[in-house]
Amino acid sequence: MIVRIMGEGQIEIDSSDLGVLNALDGELEAAIEAGDEETFRARLHDLLDKVRHVGKALPDDSLESSELILPPADASMEEVREMLGDEGLIPG
């Protein structure tokens, strides 16, 4: 699966890593619903760090189509709320 982190580029992640990413996504979504800025910020960074850790960065000139688009680390809670689909940022 190809993921784009806005402002950073594309990362290829294995489908076997989706479970842990979904768990972090759920915690992020709960923080947004609770309006908890501190937890939101921590969970967003946790999610992005995990994607970077488990994934493999694609070259900048790669023309792969991104299946998921994640917000940048400095995104506001409202910006991330607008990006959430029915299944959060990471469907599955």
Side-chain angles (χ1 to χ4, degrees):
M1 172 178 287
I2 306 298
V3 176
R4 173 175 296 283
I5 298 177
M6 295 171 66
E8 291 187 32
Q10 292 180 304
I11 299 172
E12 185 173 12
I13 58 171
D14 191 271
S15 59
S16 65
D17 293 311
L18 287 178
V20 69
L21 296 176
N22 261 318
L24 291 169
D25 185 35
E27 293 173 16
L28 175 66
E29 197 169 357
I32 291 171
E33 289 172 9
D36 184 341
E37 179 72 33
E38 185 176 330
T39 301
F40 159 76
R41 186 73 36 216
R43 294 296 88 70
L44 177 58
H45 283 263
D46 290 346
L47 176 62
L48 296 177
D49 287 346
K50 188 55 122 177
V51 167
R52 292 181 197 109
H53 178 74
V54 301
K56 181 184 100 179
L58 296 180
D60 289 339
D61 61 353
S62 174
L63 298 175
E64 298 289 328
S65 177
S66 298
E67 296 169 75
L68 294 174
I69 299 181
L70 299 177
D74 62 352
S76 71
M77 193 181 306
E78 188 55 40
E79 289 170 325
V80 176
R81 184 188 324 267
E82 290 175 10
M83 293 180 73
L84 290 174
D86 291 339
E87 297 182 0
L89 293 173
I90 313 273

